[in-house]
């Protein structure tokens, strides 16, 4: 377990425990105001992370979804009697000097209290202790050579120690996947075509919705690591718009899904954002009434294939439409 050195005098200034927090995306040198040791670390080469940028309200925490290499570390500080602000303030100043811009900062009730704590991704007790009556949070961002780099700090304490969780996520492009062997390329392509053909036509989508109550919008394309829907056009959106507009009493919900790479909070936020992007396209370009369609996200909680293979993960990354009210008109012929 890495342990930071005890405070020492440097040029007459009392310095805390200086630790380099290595990350696959970026490195931030943070000098803690007391001796500190790591209690837990989680690293992922490519993950989605929902960076909180506002207080808990209306059942959720406003977040900015980022993707990239992720490192989440919990630290225990030998700081009895030190307040959470005494711990956070010097770390905040160091981030500011490193070029990070604070996006949001809060304390306990202003964050949302209990609801905020249990809506964000936190390493478990006892590695990261959070006193529900005394904690602070800060999120910040800077632009690096490969895109935005973000950091969040969650600070709390017990009677004997201080606790800091540092989450680092940086925009590093993922490695290119290995080429599919020629002997496998044709079968894989055939599988993709087979599952998509049934819903790419208006009649196929309408039939699936009437018969099963749901259908996957197989032809949608999103930018790498982005919730923004590609330019299209997409046959399934045109079909879905026609189906909904045929009967104003029909109601549907778009549900975003991800694979199991990364944490649940980040994947849930990303899946919801992608579903919302599809909803916005249907309203803006296909004139679907906003009252007829909503957007939700469930992250990786409803897989339709194994997450142990690349093909399975690709199948799990999808947006599905679920019919919640069938309306009164006959289905599209």
């Amino acid at each position: 377990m890495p342990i930071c050195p005890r405070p020492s005098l440097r040029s007459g200034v009392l310095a805390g425990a200086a630790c380099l927090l290595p990350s696959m995306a970026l490195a931030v040198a943070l000098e803690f105001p007391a001796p500190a040791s790591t209690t837990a670390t989680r690293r992922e080469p490519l993950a989605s992370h929902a960076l909180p940028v506002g207080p808990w309200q209306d059942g959720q925490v406003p977040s900015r979804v980022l993707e990239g290499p992720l490192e989440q570390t919990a630290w225990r500080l030998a700081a009895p009697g030190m307040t959470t602000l005494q711990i956070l303030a010097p770390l905040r100043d160091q981030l500011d000097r490193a070029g990070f811009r604070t996006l949001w900062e809060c304390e306990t009730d202003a964050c949302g209290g209990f609801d905020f704590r249990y809506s964000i991704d936190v390493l478990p007790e006892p590695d990261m202790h959070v006193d529900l009556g005394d904690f602070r949070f800060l999120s910040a961002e800077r632009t690096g050579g490969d895109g935005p780099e973000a950091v969040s700090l969650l600070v709390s304490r017990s009677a004997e120690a201080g606790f800091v969780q540092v989450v680092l996520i940086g925009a590093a492009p993922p490695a290119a996947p290995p080429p599919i062997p020629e002997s496998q390329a044709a079968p894989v392509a055939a599988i993709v075509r087979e599952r998509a053909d049934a819903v790419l036509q208006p009649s196929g989508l309408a039939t699936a919705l009437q018969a099963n109550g749901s259908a996957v919008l197989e032809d949608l394309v999103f930018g790498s690591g982005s919730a923004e829907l590609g330019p299209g056009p997409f046959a399934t959106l045109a079909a879905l718009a026609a189906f909904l507009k045929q009967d104003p009493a029909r109601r549907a919900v778009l549900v975003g899904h991800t694979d199991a790479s990364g944490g649940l909070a980040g994947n849930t936020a990303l899946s919801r954002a992608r579903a919302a992007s599809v909803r916005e396209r249907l309203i803006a370009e296909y004139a679907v009434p906003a009252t007829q369609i909503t957007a939700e996200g469930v992250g990786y909680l409803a897989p339709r294939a194994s997450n142990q293979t690349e093909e399975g993960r690709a199948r799990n990354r999808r947006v599905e439409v679920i019919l919640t009210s069938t309306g009164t008109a006959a289905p599209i012929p």
Side-chain angles (χ1 to χ4, degrees):
M1 176 182 297
I3 300 179
C4 299
R6 291 189 174 276
S8 61
L9 287 174
R10 297 180 183 174
S11 304
V13 178
L14 182 64
C19 293
L20 181 67
L21 305 182
S23 169
M24 293 167 287
L26 67 162
V28 178
L30 289 180
E31 189 171 286
F32 290 102
S37 59
T38 58
T39 57
T41 298
R42 178 174 72 94
R43 294 186 179 94
E44 297 186 17
L46 184 64
S48 302
H49 179 70
L51 183 71
V53 293
W56 182 91
Q57 56 185 359
D58 299 327
Q60 61 183 354
V61 174
S63 301
R64 177 179 299 178
V65 178
L66 298 174
E67 291 195 350
L70 174 73
E71 183 172 281
Q72 182 178 15
T73 307
W75 298 81
R76 180 186 174 98
L77 280 63
M82 186 173 286
T83 68
T84 54
L85 182 57
Q86 287 175 312
I87 298 172
L88 177 65
L91 303 179
R92 179 183 59 203
D93 292 343
Q94 292 168 58
L95 289 175
D96 183 65
R97 291 194 297 271
F100 282 89
R101 177 178 62 88
T102 298
L103 298 173
W104 185 60
E105 182 179 349
C106 65
E107 179 185 7
T108 316
D109 292 340
C111 298
F114 174 95
D115 295 303
F116 178 84
R117 156 63 182 88
Y118 285 99
S119 295
I120 65 173
D121 189 9
V122 180
L123 291 167
E125 297 267 3
D127 296 326
M128 180 59 199
H129 170 71
V130 179
D131 182 337
L132 294 176
D134 187 8
F135 66 86
R136 292 175 184 266
F137 180 86
L138 179 146
S139 58
E141 185 181 54
R142 73 179 178 186
T143 301
D146 293 318
E149 300 172 338
V151 59
S152 70
L153 303 176
L154 176 64
V155 177
S156 192
R157 64 173 184 165
S158 66
E160 298 81 22
F163 293 86
V164 180
Q165 175 179 274
V166 182
V167 177
L168 301 170
I169 185 162
I180 299 175
E182 186 175 349
S183 60
Q184 299 178 17
V188 170
I191 292 172
V192 173
R193 286 195 302 271
E194 180 180 353
R195 71 171 190 259
D197 284 347
V199 295
L200 288 180
Q201 299 301 319
S203 58
L205 182 67
T207 299
L209 288 174
Q210 293 283 22
N212 306 319
S214 66
V216 176
L217 306 178
E218 298 279 9
D219 59 339
L220 302 186
V221 176
F222 293 90
S224 177
S226 171
E228 183 177 355
L229 183 63
F234 301 111
T236 56
L237 293 191
L240 178 58
F243 177 78
L244 291 173
K245 290 164 66 177
Q246 185 192 38
D247 186 347
R250 287 176 177 154
R251 298 290 185 271
V253 58
L254 296 163
V255 182
H257 300 263
T258 67
D259 62 30
S261 302
L264 178 59
N267 277 302
T268 301
L270 177 62
S271 63
R272 185 185 298 114
R274 285 181 168 173
S277 181
V278 176
R279 178 178 182 269
E280 291 169 5
R281 181 71 57 86
L282 286 166
I283 295 170
E285 296 191 12
Y286 293 91
V288 174
T291 56
Q292 282 189 264
I293 196 157
T294 58
E296 298 292 342
V298 297
Y300 53 65
L301 294 179
R304 60 173 178 171
S306 170
N307 278 296
Q308 303 305 307
T309 67
E310 178 52 41
E311 182 188 339
R313 290 189 291 272
R315 292 199 66 200
N316 289 333
R317 298 190 292 266
R318 68 198 190 276
V319 174
E320 186 174 8
V321 57
I322 297 175
L323 195 61
T324 59
S325 176
T326 57
T328 57
I332 299 173

